[in-house]
Amino acid sequence: MKNRKYKSKRFLLPILSLVLISIVSIASISSYITIKIFKSHMEEQIEKTKISYTQDQKNKVHQEVDFVKETIDFQIADAENILKANLKDKINIAINVANSIYDTYKDINSKEEIKEKIAKTLSLIKFDDGLGYYFIYDSKTNVMLEHPLSELIGNDMTTFINNSGQNLIELFTSELEKNEIAYSKTYFAKPNDKEKEFPKITCVTKFEPLNLVFGIGEYLDIIEKQSKEYIINRFSKTKYYEKDKYIAILEVHDLKGGDDFATVLLNSNKPELIGNKTSDKDLDIKGNMYKKDYLTLIKEKGEGFTEYWYKKPSTNQPELKISYIYFQKDWNWIILSGFYYDDLEKQILSMKESISSYTNHTIKETLFWVGLLSLFAILVAIIVSLKIDKTIKEYTNAIVVYEDNKRKQEHLLIQQSKIAAMGEMILNIAHQWRQPLSTISTAATGTKLQKEMNCLSDEQLNTALTTINDSSQHLSKIIDDFGEFFNSSNNRMSEYNINDILDKTLEIIKAQFIDKNIELVKNIEEFKLLSIENELIQVLVNILNNAADALTLNKNERKLIFIEAYQKKNHSYINIKDNAGGIPENIIDRIFEPYFTTKHQAQGTGIGLYMSEEIVKNHLNGTLSAENDTYEYEGISYVGAKFIIKIN
């Protein structure tokens, strides 16, 4: 132990080296992290600014376009309200005319004749140079009875659909279910322009006596023209605080596009463009046909944001721009407003310069304080390392003493375990020799008595000698079996058949099991495992002997020990359980501690299970555990201890 004592200043140099390396490393890492954090902070702030700026600007241009849209909607709604009031008066005129004719002829003419008179009378009434007219259809058959477009008269209108996809009969029927006088916005050709459909407000009502529906409509384009002029005039006078902010309005002639697909109606920052035709083939500086993108967007969604390059009014230079575009389909107007990204780039550049300046200043400060603290830390480290060196010296010497004592203790436990194992072996040999020795003694004594009485025949002598020889051979086999257990060649890791190991184990202890009337119940699968045979047998003998001792103290008339062996998921399992009532819960966690035993001092040392666990864990690459198990066997419920050996 003297040579293993701590040598003075053994830890001083490593501690000083570790402190210096740590300080240099911390300084380097600290500087790196500081730079990284500031860069990350800068990128995060820039990203937030981009998102915030973009979203704010998007909200602004969206609101600007929405304001124009809402103004248009108000103008349309106001015009529609005036039209509806006029149409209601006119539809009431038609009802009054129909009632008068019906009351006059209901007792004279048939219903079909009255319908014809009403249709003929209303066909003579026209408004707005013939653009305002009555139409009549049968609500039962949906057949058109009167219309200025003569080709529709007599036709079943049930499946008639206009170019905007409206089924007019379904639309009128649906609205009349809700209101006595119903209004709908429809699209229909004019009597003087049958090639194109125009938006109109249609008013319908039922004439119940004859199952007729009267209708009249007004085209919106005349009032619409006045409303459009108001909107253009209203927003051309709007002044923006920022020069590059403006509203633009295009009137679309053809949604499919083309060289003259739209006309510029309003551009507050570039009035020279007003009245010009525009093409969907116009390119921005990146070669994108951005106006074609307009058309695709409004055809698919009706509104949304689009990105393109456009000359900025304040600089007359192309810049990246985002515009919000809305299609007002009643007027075929594209309304748009946008913002330029270069304003954002200026903000970001300013932020980068500010943050870079701050970062450089912070890094210099950090390096100064790290250097200063490093010098201080080195001085402290030298002082502390000397004290640590002294403390470690004392503890190291104490540990050396402790380790030596521990090794002695372990060696003592191993020796005690061997002695205990030998004692168990001797006891088992004595059990197994008892019957053969008794047989030899009986045969020898009987032969001697017969010889003295002169009644010993040659056959009886041969029988006695054969019995003595057989018993002697059995004793020799017992010695060989126990010698095999102590054979050092079986103390190496090798592959063994589980049945061979269990047979050898049971051969050692079977005599005492027979003496104690213990029944063995085996359930053994056929498999091989990698193990050290003698050490596994020693563990099995220890566990089986403990079970036998517990059963001896148990009051059960039937003493049972179950041995089960199987493989599962690349592990080998050997389970041993008894019906001795189990291990008390207050001590089950301590049974693998050294010198812990519940037996009398003369019967147990408390190292059997401890050494068994050590062997399984350190030599056999496995685990040994114990639990209490409640089970049923042959219709009877039992409780006992269950030991589980799991070998990897």
Side-chain angles (χ1 to χ4, degrees):
M1 192 172 115
K2 199 170 187 179
N3 294 332
R4 299 172 59 201
K5 286 229 174 180
Y6 177 81
K7 295 180 180 178
S8 182
K9 298 188 180 178
R10 180 178 172 184
F11 293 98
L12 180 56
L13 184 59
I15 289 173
L16 286 173
S17 300
L18 180 61
V19 169
L20 291 173
I21 292 170
S22 298
I23 290 170
V24 172
S25 300
I26 290 169
S28 302
I29 293 170
S30 175
S31 299
Y32 174 78
I33 291 174
T34 301
I35 295 168
K36 194 78 175 173
I37 288 172
F38 275 107
K39 281 187 177 180
S40 175
H41 174 71
M42 179 177 69
E43 291 167 0
E44 185 180 333
Q45 289 301 314
I46 289 172
E47 192 61 32
K48 285 181 179 178
T49 301
K50 283 181 180 179
I51 295 170
S52 175
Y53 177 86
T54 303
Q55 193 57 50
D56 287 346
Q57 293 300 317
K58 278 186 173 183
N59 290 339
K60 286 180 181 179
V61 297
H62 196 301
Q63 289 168 3
E64 289 164 2
V65 172
D66 277 350
F67 181 60
V68 179
K69 169 182 171 291
E70 289 165 4
T71 305
I72 292 172
D73 290 342
F74 177 78
Q75 287 295 315
I76 292 173
D78 190 47
E80 288 178 0
N81 288 335
I82 295 171
L83 277 178
K84 286 178 181 178
N86 291 333
L87 291 174
K88 184 176 180 181
D89 291 339
K90 291 172 182 177
I91 205 72
N92 283 329
I93 292 172
I95 292 295
N96 291 334
V97 170
N99 278 326
S100 175
I101 294 172
Y102 179 74
D103 289 341
T104 302
Y105 295 101
K106 66 180 178 181
D107 297 326
I108 301 171
N109 297 104
S110 66
K111 287 187 176 182
E112 294 302 318
E113 291 172 334
I114 296 172
K115 288 180 183 179
E116 188 176 341
K117 288 180 182 292
I118 292 172
K120 187 174 181 180
T121 302
L122 292 180
S123 68
L124 300 174
I125 303 173
K126 296 287 189 292
F127 309 95
D128 300 327
D129 298 325
L131 295 179
Y133 54 84
Y134 290 110
F135 63 88
I136 305 170
Y137 67 89
D138 191 308
S139 64
K140 296 292 185 183
T141 64
N142 295 330
V143 172
M144 186 66 73
L145 303 178
E146 170 55 31
H147 199 283
L149 298 180
S150 57
E151 62 267 25
L152 297 180
I153 296 175
N155 288 345
D156 182 353
M157 302 297 288
T158 303
T159 58
F160 179 82
I161 298 175
N162 65 15
N163 292 339
S164 297
Q166 292 177 311
N167 185 313
L168 299 181
I169 298 299
E170 286 184 1
L171 178 63
F172 297 153
T173 302
S174 172
E175 293 299 323
L176 285 171
E177 288 175 355
K178 305 172 193 174
N179 302 289
E180 185 178 345
I181 297 176
Y183 301 93
S184 302
K185 187 172 184 179
T186 62
Y187 292 83
F188 209 79
K190 292 180 180 179
N192 59 357
D193 190 354
K194 299 179 182 180
E195 300 301 320
K196 183 179 177 183
E197 290 185 347
F198 297 88
K200 65 185 296 186
I201 297 295
T202 303
C203 176
V204 292
T205 190
K206 287 183 179 180
F207 184 66
E208 298 291 354
L210 296 176
N211 294 320
L212 298 178
V213 175
F214 295 160
I216 187 168
E218 289 281 358
Y219 292 95
L220 296 172
D221 53 339
I222 297 173
I223 297 177
E224 188 178 276
K225 183 179 178 182
Q226 296 173 349
S227 298
K228 286 180 179 178
E229 289 173 354
Y230 169 79
I231 293 296
I232 296 298
N233 186 56
R234 161 74 175 79
F235 287 99
S236 63
K237 295 178 180 179
T238 301
K239 299 297 181 184
Y240 293 93
Y241 292 107
E242 298 176 47
K243 185 179 179 182
D244 298 315
K245 295 286 185 183
Y246 60 93
I247 289 286
I249 298 176
L250 306 177
E251 183 174 30
V252 178
H253 309 305
D254 189 352
L255 274 175
K256 295 178 182 178
D259 290 335
D260 299 324
F261 83 94
T263 301
V264 179
L265 300 180
L266 176 66
N267 189 319
S268 54
N269 269 353
K270 291 188 176 181
E272 67 273 13
L273 297 178
I274 294 174
N276 290 350
K277 302 290 185 182
T278 186
S279 170
D280 67 346
K281 297 181 178 62
D282 291 345
L283 303 176
D284 65 11
I285 63 167
K286 298 295 184 181
N288 299 317
M289 290 190 284
Y290 63 98
K291 291 180 182 175
K292 192 176 284 292
D293 294 338
Y294 288 3
L295 294 173
T296 301
L297 177 64
I298 62 177
K299 280 189 286 188
E300 291 179 354
K301 299 180 180 178
E303 60 184 309
F305 288 94
T306 186
E307 189 176 277
Y308 56 97
W309 288 78
Y310 198 74
K311 284 186 178 181
K312 191 174 182 181
S314 60
T315 63
N316 205 33
Q317 294 298 317
E319 301 290 352
L320 183 61
K321 180 180 183 180
I322 287 184
S323 289
Y324 178 72
I325 298 176
Y326 172 75
F327 182 58
Q328 216 294 332
K329 68 177 183 178
D330 291 326
W331 291 359
N332 281 339
W333 277 12
I334 292 176
I335 307 166
L336 62 94
S337 181
F339 64 93
Y340 293 90
Y341 258 123
D342 67 322
D343 294 331
L344 172 63
E345 294 301 327
K346 290 176 183 176
Q347 289 186 37
I348 291 173
L349 182 61
S350 175
M351 287 178 63
K352 284 182 177 179
E353 290 174 354
S354 174
I355 294 174
S356 295
S357 174
Y358 178 74
T359 301
N360 292 333
H361 173 73
T362 304
I363 290 172
K364 288 177 182 178
E365 264 195 356
T366 301
L367 292 175
F368 170 77
W369 285 109
V370 166
L372 191 63
L373 290 173
S374 296
L375 292 174
F376 177 73
I378 290 171
L379 294 174
V380 173
I382 292 172
I383 296 170
V384 171
S385 65
L386 292 174
K387 291 187 176 181
I388 291 174
D389 184 77
K390 181 180 178 183
T391 304
I392 290 176
K393 175 182 177 181
E394 295 171 355
Y395 276 105
T396 302
N397 290 333
I399 289 170
V400 169
V401 173
Y402 172 78
E403 290 293 335
D404 285 343
N405 290 336
K406 185 178 178 182
R407 274 190 289 275
K408 289 179 181 178
Q409 185 74 8
E410 288 177 353
H411 180 71
L412 180 61
L413 284 173
I414 292 169
Q415 294 304 316
Q416 288 177 333
S417 175
K418 289 180 179 178
I419 293 169
M422 290 179 66
E424 294 285 352
M425 292 301 106
I426 291 169
L427 181 62
N428 284 315
I429 290 170
H431 275 294
Q432 297 211 38
W433 275 22
R434 187 176 299 156
Q435 184 179 354
L437 287 174
S438 176
T439 301
I440 291 171
S441 177
T442 301
T445 304
T447 302
K448 180 181 178 184
L449 182 62
Q450 286 177 318
K451 179 66 176 174
E452 289 175 353
M453 296 177 65
N454 293 319
C455 61
L456 179 64
S457 66
D458 290 342
E459 184 181 352
Q460 289 172 330
L461 178 61
N462 286 335
T463 300
L465 291 174
T466 299
T467 300
I468 291 170
N469 182 60
D470 288 345
S471 297
S472 298
Q473 292 297 326
H474 183 51
L475 290 172
S476 177
K477 185 177 181 301
I478 291 170
I479 291 171
D480 289 342
D481 288 343
F482 281 92
E484 187 71 16
F485 176 71
F486 289 105
N487 189 344
S488 60
S489 65
N490 294 328
N491 285 332
R492 66 180 184 275
M493 185 69 74
S494 186
E495 192 174 61
Y496 297 95
N497 187 294
I498 187 62
N499 277 296
D500 292 343
I501 291 176
L502 290 172
D503 287 344
K504 290 179 181 180
T505 302
L506 297 177
E507 188 65 29
I508 292 172
I509 60 174
K510 70 177 182 179
Q512 64 163 311
F513 274 39
I514 293 170
D515 287 348
K516 295 177 181 179
N517 293 321
I518 295 173
E519 297 178 49
L520 276 173
V521 181
K522 297 191 289 183
N523 180 17
I524 313 298
E525 291 183 4
E526 183 70 28
F527 64 88
K528 291 184 178 181
L529 76 162
L530 194 65
S531 184
I532 301 174
E533 185 182 52
N534 281 354
E535 297 202 351
L536 181 54
I537 290 173
Q538 181 181 345
V539 171
L540 293 171
V541 168
N542 277 338
I543 295 171
L544 289 168
N545 280 337
N546 281 350
D549 291 341
L551 287 168
T552 303
L553 300 174
N554 194 38
K555 295 180 180 179
N556 286 340
E557 292 184 3
R558 193 173 185 186
K559 299 177 175 61
L560 299 168
I561 291 180
F562 298 83
I563 302 177
E564 181 183 25
Y566 59 91
Q567 284 188 323
K568 181 179 179 183
K569 294 182 179 179
N570 297 324
H571 299 294
S572 299
Y573 292 87
I574 304 172
N575 299 337
I576 300 172
K577 66 181 177 183
D578 55 48
N579 66 333
I583 304 168
E585 292 295 333
N586 62 329
I587 66 168
I588 194 169
D589 293 332
R590 299 186 58 202
I591 61 173
F592 294 112
E593 295 178 6
Y595 300 115
F596 181 80
T597 180
T598 58
K599 301 176 185 177
H600 188 272
Q601 189 173 1
Q603 294 178 304
T605 61
I607 60 173
L609 287 179
Y610 167 73
M611 289 306 300
S612 295
E613 187 192 33
E614 289 293 304
I615 290 170
V616 173
K617 181 172 65 175
N618 298 324
H619 297 181
L620 305 184
N621 189 28
T623 59
L624 173 61
S625 59
E627 62 184 36
N628 289 322
D629 190 21
T630 301
Y631 59 95
E632 191 173 292
Y633 179 67
E634 294 184 351
I636 301 174
S637 181
Y638 296 105
V639 177
K642 180 179 180 180
F643 286 83
I644 302 165
I645 301 172
K646 175 184 174 184
I647 298 177
N648 299 323

